Amino acid sequence: MRPFHMLLAVLVAVVWGVAFVVSKIGLESFTPPQLTALRFLVAAAGVLWLPRPAVSWKAVVFIGFTVFTGQFLLQFFGIAFGMPAGLTAFVVQSQALFTVVFAALMFGDRPSSQQIIGMSVALVGLFVIGLTLSGGVPALAFGVIVLFVRIDTVSLRSLIWRGLSDRRPTRRMSNSARPRAAL
């Protein structure tokens, strides 16, 4: 990998990580629905130069709906109701665990024993980190529940996208990620 590409990879990781803190700051001025709408208004600029994916409108609407309500709106509500931005970034990564479970249910994919052990350790880790938090337990519990619903919708969207894929899923997914990467 070229040094420029490595720099871009680090930049993406930094921007992604800082986005949760920026979301928390944004929620001081906007409600979760307003911040979600603002985010999608900015991200929608990509439709001006990106081609529409070669999938049905039903799939486009479903994926857009899960991104809109399932991912960002619920994530912003979770943060607004007491979930710390740093922990949100960590918890959101548990979507990989849910994706494996849903893949087993939807496609018959079977995780290996090593993957099951890894997922179990990750869930215990999330639980232990959750126990170390101070603050209002009811608000934090609501924030965690909202985030897990968000994770479920993102995992399901990923699997539905997999079901829609053709011989070039990587290209399609990279095309759909361009607007987010530009932000």
Side-chain angles (χ1 to χ4, degrees), residues 3-35:
F4 178 71
H5 295 143
M6 287 188 275
L7 179 64
L8 285 177
V10 169
L11 180 63
V12 167
V14 168
V15 168
W16 186 88
V18 171
F20 292 94
V21 175
V22 172
S23 296
K24 183 127 180 125
I25 293 168
L27 288 167
E28 293 173 4
S29 301
F30 298 99
T31 66
Q34 290 172 330
L35 190 58

Side-chain angles (χ1 to χ4, degrees), residues 86-148:
L87 184 59
T88 300
F90 183 73
V91 170
V92 162
Q93 291 311 304
S94 67
Q95 80 185 42
L97 307 173
F98 289 90
T99 302
V100 171
V101 171
F102 291 146
L105 296 172
M106 291 173 67
F107 297 111
D109 292 353
R110 297 289 173 226
S112 68
S113 57
Q114 187 177 17
Q115 290 170 320
I116 291 171
I117 291 169
M119 291 186 303
S120 300
V121 169
L123 284 173
V124 168
L126 284 171
F127 180 74
V128 169
I129 289 172
L131 291 175
T132 66
L133 298 175
S134 61
V137 173
L140 183 60
F142 181 75
V144 170
I145 290 167
V146 167
L147 275 177
F148 275 110

Side-chain angles (χ1 to χ4, degrees), residues 52-72:
R52 187 179 142 265
V55 296
S56 70
W57 276 109
K58 183 179 177 181
V60 170
V61 169
F62 178 78
I63 290 170
F65 181 73
T66 59
V67 169
F68 184 76
T69 57
Q71 186 170 359
F72 291 102

